Amino acid sequence: MKRSANCQVFLSRMPYLEPVFNQPGIMKFIHLLILSILSTFSALGQTKKATISGKVVDENDKPLFHVNISILGKEKGTTTNDSGSFLITVTPGRPVALVFSFTGYKNVQRNFNLLDGENEVVTVQMQSQQNVLEGVTVKDNRARTEAGRINIDPSVAILNPSPLGNIESLIKIFTGSNNELTSQYNVRGGSYDENIIYVNDFEVFRPYLVRSGQQEGLSFINPEMTENVKFYNGGFQAKYGDKMSSVLDITYKRPRKFAGSAYIGLLEQGLHLEGTGNNDKLTYLVGFRNRSNRNLVSSQDTKGNYIPSSSDVQGLITYQPNSKWLFEVLANISKSKFNLFPEESKLSSAVFSPLFTQNIAVDIAFQGQEKDAYQTNMVGLSTTWQPRKNFRLKGMLSRFENDEAENIDITGAYLFGERNFDKSQATFGLIVNPLGAGVYQNFSRNQLNIQVYNASLKGSIDKEKHFIQFGSSVERQIVTDKLNEWEYNDSAGYSLPYSPNMLRLNKVLKNKADLTIDRFSGFVQDNIQFRDSAAVTLQIGLRYNYNTLNNEFLLSPRAGFSFKPGNWQKDIVFRGSAGAYNQPPFYRELRRYDGTVNTQLKAQKSWQVSAGFDYNIKLLQRPGRITTELYYKGMTDVVPYDIDNVRLRYFGENMAKAYAAGAEVRLFGELVKDAESWISLGFMRTRENISNDHYYNYKLNDQNKPIDSTLVNVGSLRRPTDRMITFGMFFQDYLSTNKNFKVYLNTLYGSSLPYNIPGSVKYRNALVIDPYIRADLGFSALLLDTDKSNRRSHSPFKGFDNIWASLEIFNIIDRPNTISYLLIKDFANNVFTLPNRLTPRLLNLKLIAKW
């Protein structure tokens, strides 16, 4: 084939390519490639844009000028001229929706799908809307000046596709998760007990005996009653309580008119009503919820009859006789029951054994039942007095009671070994090479009653650049606990631990505790606002705490700062915090593994520092925000614990030092207009060093008898919450031609976690739980919009604002996430572990109505 002049010049400069071009067909292929590229560019150059033009008029066919015309989901748009005419260019071959909006008129949407070069001419008539006031959006910039603070939109909770559908599910996007069945969460390496929750300034508590997520009931927080959510994942101010990890500050609504909502789904049903009375001086807010996790837990590895049920009633009543006084009553009653009649369990895939590794399986046949009951009730009274605009006092009285009972009597006969996975054989699915067999029995009769009485006084003084806050509280905790648990193990006809002369139980826990603890705490802090070239704020505070359990008096100084450079074009705020965060023990930390109570336990103590920035950006020509934070927590007098599902088992001794360090990056933005999405990425390491933890390595002779030993000090280990990487994303979108059809995606990733072998120093936290990966998908459709003018007077839906229907797909990738391990020994005393899995892929339907 004859070469072109350009090709000859090219080869003269690179002679080593000559053999390649001499290959048959190569030159022909190159010429075809060049021609196709040129034709592509030619086609692109000839592509015509599609246009939409026309006129916008009112109901009297008079032209409307300066009408805003935008492409749905994009910033691109135009306006009509003085004669009401417009012209806009759109991408051909794709469906597009134009939204026409004008103050005092109802929005109009028109859908188009044009070809190359096509011009569509339309006339759009807009209908006037009476008594419409243009909304004003007020943004709270204080979130940018406070370290660790995240503001969360509570209205997203009911639409967020997650099995729980509560506020805590949104928090897990930022903190990570490893269990979709619980509303509990870990923050920066802390335990569940290191988080504090307030609702309208009242501290709320959770049940304590719950040992697995499937037993857990409803979260205290009702999303439909919630107005504001402030979450602090560290660096919180002195006005918040004595915990080491996080604060969740919830504010319930203050109704302005009669309204309500109702929803019904396969997992949960709810109703809420709100309104005013007595010339708007009185407001009421009432919510009722009922939930059953039966569809979730019945798909787990243990088959049987699950009967879980939870319900609660909450109410908030406020009365404001004048501008100086406000009275408030908050009450809650919650009941949860969990009944289980297990039948069988078939587990497979061992993942760790110190002495022996092999893929094994276990088949368990059960007899017996588990019946648990958890009841909490709370009532709080508050009075706010504000004689002047800059001075405010709030007095509060509250009572919380938690009454729990566990009744377990379950016997399991098990056989484990290798399972046959060959479908061509008759023994498919059966255990063909037994490694062990036995019987075990778990027995529990536990009762726990906790009562907490609290009296508090808080106040604030606003003096120009200073905003001073102060408070003090007295609290009495009354605990009555009856613990009665034992466990019997029989392996191959021998009771474990084996004794030739007597029958011994594998574990026995019996104890009674009656405690009365008085706590005194308070704080004072000043938020200082400086005015200069840089907007600088400074928060300085001091908190004290004293309790009669161990007579320990604690002082916790805390400080935070933020500044925004005044001469920068970029909208960026730098912020940081430092302080002491000490946590006096509550009852669960006091109880040792053997059931005894350590009344001399001291508070866990920590010093924490954090620094980062908050940067407002443009993301796809829409508002966006990036926040970053670095943190370090150094902890002393730490009480070590183990995690079994959601049950924390404390050592009951101040016997460790620990630290947690990491970095977090978050992105907030509208990938599509009016639909904010979030992405969170975190890196963390947390370690602990338990005092006097050591073991011996023995050297054995030919008769397998020890002849020498070496002392090994364990040193620092991964804490039970040590997770290197966490990733969370909440994404929402809608159809390009219709906002009423939306999609939501909730994605979580957490790298591996350690898991302990109980009672083993050498193999403490030596097990590994595989990464937690989960994606939940939701679709929603607006069945009835907010425009009531087109509804008939006798329509049964005349009073409704809107009605939504949603379809949710939980765990869309159907990943078998692991929450814990079942430990089994064979005839040779080798240890095998089999994973206990969480929920598989499930569907949920939900109908939501608001009025």
Side-chain angles (χ1 to χ4, degrees):
M1 178 177 292
K2 187 177 181 181
R3 298 172 183 161
S4 66
N6 290 335
C7 187
Q8 292 286 3
V9 173
F10 177 75
L11 290 177
S12 66
R13 294 179 179 178
M14 297 184 179
Y16 50 85
L17 294 179
E18 179 79 25
V20 176
F21 281 85
N22 287 330
Q23 295 296 322
I26 290 294
M27 291 304 299
K28 183 178 180 180
F29 171 77
I30 291 174
H31 279 87
L32 290 175
L33 179 62
I34 293 173
L35 287 174
S36 63
I37 293 174
L38 291 176
S39 62
T40 300
F41 279 107
S42 176
L44 290 175
Q46 296 175 2
T47 299
K48 297 180 180 179
K49 290 290 186 179
T51 59
I52 304 172
S53 61
K55 180 179 285 189
V56 181
V57 298
D58 62 11
E59 56 264 67
N60 297 319
D61 292 331
K62 293 182 178 181
L64 293 174
F65 56 91
H66 293 170
V67 174
N68 183 58
I69 306 170
S70 63
I71 299 177
L72 183 63
K74 297 182 179 180
E75 297 293 335
K76 182 180 178 181
T78 187
T79 58
T80 58
N81 58 21
D82 292 341
S83 62
S85 300
F86 71 93
L87 174 68
I88 189 170
T89 303
V90 296
T91 303
R94 293 182 181 179
V96 65
L98 296 186
V99 179
F100 300 80
S101 59
F102 191 56
T103 303
Y105 288 81
K106 300 176 184 178
N107 289 354
V108 175
Q109 178 177 317
R110 290 289 184 87
N111 299 335
F112 303 91
N113 193 347
L114 306 183
L115 301 176
D116 290 348
E118 185 178 356
N119 178 39
E120 180 83 10
V121 180
V122 297
T123 299
V124 178
Q125 188 178 65
M126 302 188 71
Q127 300 292 326
S128 62
Q129 189 170 357
Q130 301 298 324
N131 301 324
V132 175
L133 296 179
E134 189 171 4
V136 178
T137 302
V138 179
K139 294 185 178 180
D140 185 2
N141 290 321
R142 286 178 298 174
R144 305 189 66 197
T145 65
E146 298 180 8
R149 175 171 165 177
I150 303 172
N151 281 12
I152 297 175
D153 183 3
S155 64
V156 180
I158 197 168
L159 297 173
N160 178 38
S162 71
L164 296 179
N166 54 20
I167 299 295
E168 290 87 344
S169 297
L170 298 176
I171 292 174
K172 290 180 181 182
I173 298 174
F174 303 105
T175 64
S177 173
N178 68 322
N179 190 345
E180 64 271 12
L181 292 175
T182 178
S183 58
Q184 302 188 61
Y185 48 89
N186 303 109
V187 179
R188 294 181 175 178
S191 73
Y192 307 131
D193 294 331
E194 296 177 20
N195 307 317
I196 190 169
I197 301 176
Y198 294 100
V199 174
N200 284 30
D201 291 333
F202 294 104
E203 184 177 356
V204 299
F205 303 88
R206 296 196 52 78
Y208 286 85
L209 293 181
V210 170
R211 62 182 70 202
S212 63
Q214 61 192 23
Q215 298 169 323
E216 191 172 323
L218 289 160
S219 162
F220 184 97
I221 306 164
N222 189 329
E224 291 298 282
M225 299 172 62
T226 302
E227 184 172 28
N228 291 316
V229 178
K230 293 185 291 185
F231 177 66
Y232 297 84
N233 59 357
F236 45 89
Q237 301 173 25
K239 66 180 180 179
Y240 291 116
D242 299 284
K243 297 284 187 177
M244 293 198 301
S245 288
S246 75
V247 170
L248 179 57
D249 190 353
I250 302 293
T251 303
Y252 274 179
K253 296 178 183 177
R254 184 89 180 274
R256 296 174 179 84
K257 62 179 182 179
F258 175 75
S261 68
Y263 61 91
I264 181 170
L266 298 179
L267 298 177
E268 186 175 331
Q269 304 81 40
L271 169 70
H272 111 271
L273 297 172
E274 59 184 73
T276 63
N278 193 11
N279 296 323
D280 293 337
K281 294 180 179 180
L282 177 72
T283 71
Y284 63 89
L285 180 66
V286 181
F288 166 78
R289 292 178 296 171
N290 180 70
R291 181 177 181 86
S292 175
N293 285 338
R294 188 166 189 171
N295 290 338
L296 286 173
V297 298
S298 61
S299 59
Q300 292 186 288
D301 291 324
T302 299
K303 306 301 179 183
N305 187 15
Y306 290 84
I307 313 176
S309 63
S310 303
S311 59
D312 79 337
V313 178
Q314 293 189 46
L316 174 65
I317 299 176
T318 65
Y319 180 67
Q320 187 171 8
N322 51 55
S323 61
K324 296 182 179 180
W325 291 93
L326 174 66
F327 302 92
E328 181 179 270
V329 179
L330 175 66
N332 168 272
I333 299 176
S334 176
K335 292 185 178 181
S336 297
K337 293 183 179 181
F338 178 79
N339 295 340
L340 170 61
F341 301 87
E343 296 174 359
E344 65 174 5
S345 177
K346 294 181 180 291
L347 303 176
S348 298
S349 299
V351 295
F352 172 85
S353 173
L355 302 175
F356 187 79
T357 58
Q358 185 179 3
N359 287 330
I360 63 168
V362 61
D363 290 347
I364 308 175
F366 294 104
Q367 287 185 341
Q369 63 182 353
E370 175 180 352
K371 289 188 175 183
D372 306 323
Y374 312 96
Q375 178 173 324
T376 62
N377 58 77
M378 178 263 183
V379 61
L381 310 174
S382 72
T383 301
T384 302
W385 179 51
Q386 190 167 357
R388 298 187 302 274
K389 185 177 180 180
N390 63 342
F391 179 73
R392 185 172 179 263
L393 278 178
K394 184 175 184 179
M396 298 187 298
L397 297 173
S398 66
R399 178 187 182 273
F400 169 84
E401 183 176 10
N402 177 36
D403 195 17
E404 307 181 39
E406 286 187 332
N407 295 277
I408 303 173
D409 192 353
I410 295 178
T411 301
Y414 64 88
L415 174 69
F416 75 99
E418 295 183 41
R419 193 184 298 280
N420 185 7
F421 292 103
D422 188 352
K423 294 184 178 181
S424 64
Q425 299 183 9
T427 56
F428 169 71
L430 302 179
I431 294 177
V432 294
N433 184 19
L435 295 173
V439 176
Y440 69 87
Q441 183 176 1
N442 290 334
F443 180 91
S444 297
R445 294 293 185 271
N446 300 329
Q447 292 184 334
L448 175 65
N449 181 271
I450 299 178
Q451 299 178 45
V452 181
Y453 299 86
N454 185 282
S456 302
L457 179 66
K458 298 181 179 180
S460 63
I461 303 173
D462 192 351
K463 298 182 64 176
E464 296 181 355
K465 296 182 180 180
H466 298 268
F467 183 63
I468 302 171
Q469 296 172 278
F470 56 89
S472 185
S473 68
V474 180
E475 183 176 278
R476 167 161 287 191
Q477 301 172 1
I478 303 174
V479 180
T480 302
D481 184 24
K482 295 180 181 180
L483 181 65
N484 182 14
E485 294 183 14
W486 54 262
E487 183 179 295
Y488 169 73
N489 280 350
D490 179 285
S491 180
Y494 292 93
S495 175
L496 299 177
Y498 175 70
S499 176
N501 300 320
M502 60 183 300
L503 178 65
R504 298 179 61 185
L505 297 176
N506 185 52
K507 180 179 69 175
V508 179
L509 298 178
K510 285 184 178 291
N511 191 58
K512 292 183 179 181
D514 292 289
L515 298 175
T516 299
I517 307 170
D518 294 324
R519 300 179 186 269
F520 305 88
S521 62
F523 71 93
V524 61
Q525 72 176 45
D526 188 6
N527 292 21
I528 308 170
Q529 181 74 47
F530 297 92
R531 300 289 183 184
D532 51 24
S533 60
V536 180
T537 64
L538 180 65
Q539 304 102 24
I540 302 177
L542 180 67
R543 186 171 187 86
Y544 76 87
N545 186 288
Y546 173 79
N547 69 84
T548 59
L549 176 72
N550 51 33
N551 298 316
E552 189 176 23
F553 182 78
L554 300 169
L555 288 175
S556 304
R558 301 174 188 175
F561 73 91
S562 71
F563 72 94
K564 180 181 180 181
N567 55 356
W568 285 25
Q569 294 183 352
K570 297 180 178 179
D571 186 4
I572 186 169
V573 176
F574 296 93
R575 59 191 188 182
S577 68
Y581 297 84
N582 305 319
Q583 182 170 319
F586 206 69
Y587 179 66
R588 186 146 59 176
E589 293 99 311
L590 301 176
R591 200 165 74 177
R592 300 183 181 96
Y593 251 92
D594 60 2
T596 59
V597 176
N598 181 9
T599 58
Q600 300 302 312
L601 192 69
K602 300 296 183 181
Q604 300 183 84
K605 304 172 181 66
S606 72
W607 277 93
Q608 305 182 21
V609 294
S610 65
F613 64 81
D614 185 303
Y615 182 23
N616 280 340
I617 61 173
K618 281 290 185 180
L619 184 65
L620 301 178
Q621 302 303 313
R622 285 182 284 273
R625 196 165 137 247
I626 296 177
T627 65
T628 67
E629 202 157 64
L630 302 173
Y631 63 89
Y632 178 83
K633 299 197 298 186
M635 294 165 275
T636 58
D637 287 334
V638 174
V639 183
Y641 60 89
D642 294 324
I643 298 180
D644 181 12
N645 208 309
V646 297
R647 188 186 195 187
L648 298 184
R649 302 293 301 274
Y650 284 92
F651 284 36
E653 303 287 347
N654 301 108
M655 55 187 302
K657 295 181 179 180
Y659 76 88
E664 297 169 346
V665 181
R666 298 186 178 92
L667 173 65
F668 305 81
E670 297 179 3
L671 299 180
V672 293
K673 189 178 179 182
D674 300 327
E676 188 180 56
S677 301
W678 318 321
I679 295 177
S680 178
L681 178 64
F683 304 90
M684 184 196 66
R685 268 288 176 248
T686 179
R687 295 285 192 272
E688 66 183 4
N689 192 344
I690 302 176
S691 59
N692 298 320
D693 59 333
H694 58 268
Y695 62 91
Y696 288 92
N697 275 335
Y698 292 97
K699 183 178 180 181
L700 306 178
N701 60 14
D702 296 339
Q703 286 76 37
N704 208 32
K705 293 183 179 181
I707 57 175
D708 195 7
S709 63
T710 304
L711 177 67
V712 179
N713 291 311
V714 174
S716 295
L717 292 173
R718 297 178 68 185
R719 301 195 79 195
T721 54
D722 179 49
R723 174 160 269 165
M724 180 66 180
I725 301 173
T726 57
F727 173 83
M729 180 180 70
F730 172 75
F731 171 77
Q732 54 178 326
D733 196 1
Y734 48 81
L735 291 182
S736 60
T737 58
N738 198 330
K739 260 188 175 181
N740 297 334
F741 292 90
K742 297 185 176 182
V743 61
Y744 305 88
L745 178 65
N746 185 4
T747 302
L748 291 169
Y749 170 83
S751 56
S752 65
L753 281 172
Y755 192 81
N756 69 293
I757 296 181
S760 174
V761 176
K762 184 176 182 179
Y763 296 109
R764 171 169 171 77
N765 289 345
L767 301 178
V768 175
I769 294 179
D770 289 337
Y772 182 88
I773 305 174
R774 185 177 178 90
D776 300 318
L777 186 64
F779 302 91
S780 64
L782 183 63
L783 304 182
L784 184 71
D785 62 20
T786 56
D787 187 2
K788 300 180 181 180
S789 60
N790 295 326
R791 302 179 199 168
R792 297 180 179 179
S793 58
H794 59 274
S795 170
F797 304 107
K798 182 69 177 178
F800 286 87
D801 284 342
N802 54 68
I803 299 178
W804 288 85
S806 67
L807 169 66
E808 298 172 323
I809 309 174
F810 301 143
N811 193 6
I812 190 171
I813 61 176
D814 201 23
R815 177 177 172 83
N817 289 303
T818 300
I819 183 59
S820 61
Y821 288 107
L822 177 65
L823 306 180
I824 298 179
K825 293 184 179 181
D826 67 0
F827 302 117
N829 209 34
N830 297 313
V831 178
F832 296 86
T833 60
L834 291 98
N836 294 312
R837 304 295 190 183
L838 286 165
T839 56
R841 184 190 299 121
L842 291 168
L843 294 179
N844 184 41
L845 297 173
K846 189 185 297 182
L847 188 66
I848 307 165
K850 295 187 177 183
W851 58 86

